[in-house]
Amino acid sequence: MKTYLSMIFVALLVAVSGCGEKKHSDEVAEKGAESKTTASTEIPALYERQGELASAAEWPKTKEKVKELKQKIGENPSDVKPRLQIAVIYLSEARITGEHPYYYPAVLKILDDVLAIEPQNFEATTFKASVKMSQHQFAEARGLAEQARKINPSNAYVYGVLVDANVELGNYGEAVTMSDKMQELKPSLESYSRASYLREIYGNYPGAIEAMKLAVDAGLPGSEPQCWAKNTLGHLYETTGQLKQAEMQYKEILAMRPSYAFALHGLAQVHKAAKRYDEALAELDKAAKVMPEFSFHEEMADIYALQGNKQKADSKYREVVKMLDEDARSGHSVDLELCKLYIKTNQLDSAVAYGLKEYAKRPKNIDVNHALAAAYFKDKNNDKAKQHIGLALRTGSRDPELLEVASAIAVAAGDKAHGNRLLAQARKTKI
């Protein structure tokens, strides 16, 4: 499955701040006016951009805007609006720069100050839920989103956070219900994207592609949210073996945004699939220079391993572990990522240990069960592998990697016919 959490911020940055709910927020503020407390006027600084991102046209404007908002906070510490605007800017910077270990704690500090002033502030509660989502604190995120829904049950975007939280917790039926409600309230790039992901989870790749096309069409041409949707569409094409269409999506993004790191990563995956490994590494190197995203480095390690360069692969995998450790220190749960990484490096005791830690938190999630099944299978524990692969297949997913693991487990368990059927399904996905 692809990484999906960044789409949370697409929704929030586009719409939650000033999302047509001003009247409702003002009513909440009036009701809580007597209980307002004075929060700290200390706001974490912007993280200085590096490399190409530092020369982007919007960067000086961003710095000037943050300076202006900080001044407003100093003049009127009880006004939550400039604090929320800074939170929006910092969430955007986290997406653009990849400096999540810095920005997520900074945003949480700002939001906690808002909630100290207005405990029932809808925007702050929703933002906090989304940050917790991106830190993989899924149960806490769901609880916060439910609080936000009670404050304002008519806001489309809180349902988006509830879709995401329920997906990650393995509550797929509830996620579908929340997705339907979101589309009913506001058909948009964000709601179509979530519908696409749920269709993918349930094995409907043609439907997922159709919904993601709607998401792209609903986006502002050239905007970052539209580029994210196009990038996700490219990944869907890639998963289904339509590499030319995938490459076209990534190149169209790069024509608009030459430094869009996720499109560079996508292009690298197309080259990797075609066994053009040097070209793939060149694109990944460009992406890694734009933002410190661990998955870019992990992909490099995978390619070094495919090239037979064990020394470089091992060195790069160790680098990825350090990056994940940094994320963990900032409050990001990385147990599933470490499980998957240690499967690749044959550190199977560690893979199982981290997989079980994640399983304890969300035993119904199909990705967690997929990873544990792969770890147990590689460790020759076929009984445990069979148990977890059954849970991973429960939505009818047609993800080729999942089906290939399931096929190998079935064959090892002595059911070659079932294994062959699963392998045939995997090949069918790759049109």
Side-chain angles (χ1 to χ4, degrees):
M1 289 290 179
K2 60 184 175 296
T3 301
Y4 182 63
L5 296 176
S6 296
M7 186 54 68
I8 299 164
F9 288 134
V10 174
L12 287 164
L13 299 177
V14 171
V16 170
S17 182
C19 57
E21 305 298 342
K22 183 178 184 297
K23 181 178 178 183
H24 180 88
S25 295
D26 287 348
E27 288 171 356
V28 171
E30 287 169 12
K31 289 177 183 177
E34 294 180 2
S35 64
K36 279 188 177 181
T37 60
T38 301
S40 168
T41 57
E42 184 180 343
I43 301 295
L46 272 169
Y47 191 98
E48 282 295 328
R49 290 190 185 183
Q50 305 295 321
E52 291 182 34
L53 292 175
S55 60
E58 79 274 4
W59 180 230
K61 297 176 185 177
T62 300
K63 291 193 285 188
E64 186 60 33
K65 185 63 177 177
V66 170
K67 182 180 177 182
E68 174 192 323
L69 292 169
K70 284 184 176 181
Q71 186 176 339
K72 287 183 179 180
I73 292 167
E75 293 168 355
N76 186 1
S78 294
D79 185 0
V80 300
K81 292 178 184 177
R83 296 176 187 270
L84 289 168
Q85 285 178 278
I86 290 179
V88 171
I89 291 169
Y90 282 16
L91 290 174
S92 179
E93 284 298 300
R95 278 180 60 81
I96 291 167
T97 65
E99 295 292 348
H100 307 130
Y102 176 80
Y103 276 115
Y104 290 165
V107 171
L108 288 173
K109 193 269 182 192
I110 294 168
L111 296 176
D112 284 341
D113 283 344
V114 171
L115 291 168
I117 300 167
E118 292 184 9
Q120 294 296 304
N121 186 281
F122 171 76
E123 288 85 355
T125 306
T126 308
F127 279 138
K128 189 170 181 179
S130 71
V131 174
K132 291 296 181 180
M133 276 296 303
S134 283
Q135 290 184 316
H136 293 191
Q137 307 292 341
F138 303 122
E140 187 176 355
R142 185 174 183 269
L144 286 163
E146 288 291 2
Q147 287 178 34
R149 181 164 67 146
K150 288 177 183 176
I151 297 168
N152 184 359
S154 300
N155 180 280
Y157 298 94
V158 71
Y159 289 94
V161 182
L162 285 167
V163 173
D164 304 330
N166 280 297
V167 163
E168 296 301 337
L169 291 169
N171 303 326
Y172 300 110
E174 183 68 9
V176 170
T177 300
M178 295 297 104
S179 177
D180 289 346
K181 182 66 175 177
M182 185 183 187
Q183 290 185 73
E184 175 190 326
L185 288 167
K186 188 171 183 178
S188 62
L189 180 152
E190 297 78 30
S191 59
Y192 292 138
S193 297
R194 285 172 170 85
S196 172
Y197 189 49
L198 285 165
R199 290 178 183 183
E200 181 183 357
I201 285 170
Y202 280 97
N204 182 1
Y205 276 102
I209 289 171
E210 178 186 359
M212 195 57 70
K213 284 180 178 178
L214 290 174
V216 171
D217 291 342
L220 180 67
S223 65
E224 200 278 342
Q226 192 204 43
C227 288
W228 181 266
K230 282 181 71 66
N231 196 75
T232 308
L233 178 59
H235 183 78
L236 285 168
Y237 281 134
E238 190 184 321
T239 302
T240 54
Q242 302 176 76
L243 297 182
K244 287 184 179 179
Q245 290 90 331
E247 186 174 10
M248 182 175 70
Q249 295 299 320
Y250 300 137
K251 286 185 173 179
E252 285 178 359
I253 295 167
L254 293 169
M256 296 182 287
R257 290 175 173 253
S259 297
Y260 197 76
F262 295 107
L264 292 167
H265 176 234
L267 206 53
Q269 289 178 308
V270 171
H271 293 324
K272 177 186 170 186
K275 298 185 179 180
R276 299 198 299 270
Y277 297 135
D278 289 341
E279 292 174 62
L281 288 167
E283 298 296 345
L284 288 166
D285 186 60
K286 290 180 198 173
K289 286 176 179 175
V290 174
M291 68 165 59
E293 166 63 36
F294 82 90
S295 63
F296 301 161
H297 294 272
E298 186 171 350
E299 193 78 56
M300 288 184 202
D302 293 346
I303 292 171
Y304 289 139
L306 288 170
Q307 291 178 319
N309 193 332
K310 188 176 185 302
Q311 185 176 354
K312 270 193 173 182
D314 289 347
S315 175
K316 184 60 75 171
Y317 283 131
R318 287 194 293 272
E319 188 178 335
V320 174
V321 170
K322 289 180 182 178
M323 295 178 77
L324 289 171
D325 284 344
E326 183 184 0
D327 280 349
R329 287 194 297 273
S330 74
H332 191 136
S333 176
V334 296
D335 294 329
L336 180 58
E337 288 76 11
L338 286 169
C339 171
K340 292 177 179 179
L341 182 67
Y342 287 133
I343 291 170
K344 293 176 182 179
T345 58
N346 286 312
Q347 294 169 273
L348 300 178
D349 287 346
S350 294
V352 168
Y354 280 108
L356 288 174
K357 282 178 68 177
E358 194 66 24
Y359 179 78
K361 291 179 283 187
R362 45 191 187 127
K364 296 186 291 183
N365 180 274
I366 61 176
D367 292 334
V368 173
N369 281 286
H370 176 186
L372 264 175
Y376 278 125
F377 175 70
K378 206 169 185 180
D379 202 30
K380 301 189 186 324
N381 188 335
N382 291 335
D383 289 341
K384 286 285 188 181
K386 190 175 179 181
Q387 172 192 332
H388 287 287
I389 205 65
L391 291 167
L393 292 169
R394 70 188 179 90
T395 63
S397 172
R398 292 293 179 266
D399 177 57
E401 291 183 8
L402 172 62
L403 292 173
E404 286 164 5
V405 171
S407 172
I409 292 169
V411 171
D415 193 346
K416 187 175 181 181
H418 183 49
N420 288 340
R421 286 194 297 272
L422 289 165
L423 196 57
Q425 288 178 354
R427 289 169 179 162
K428 190 175 179 181
T429 300
K430 297 178 180 179
I431 297 170

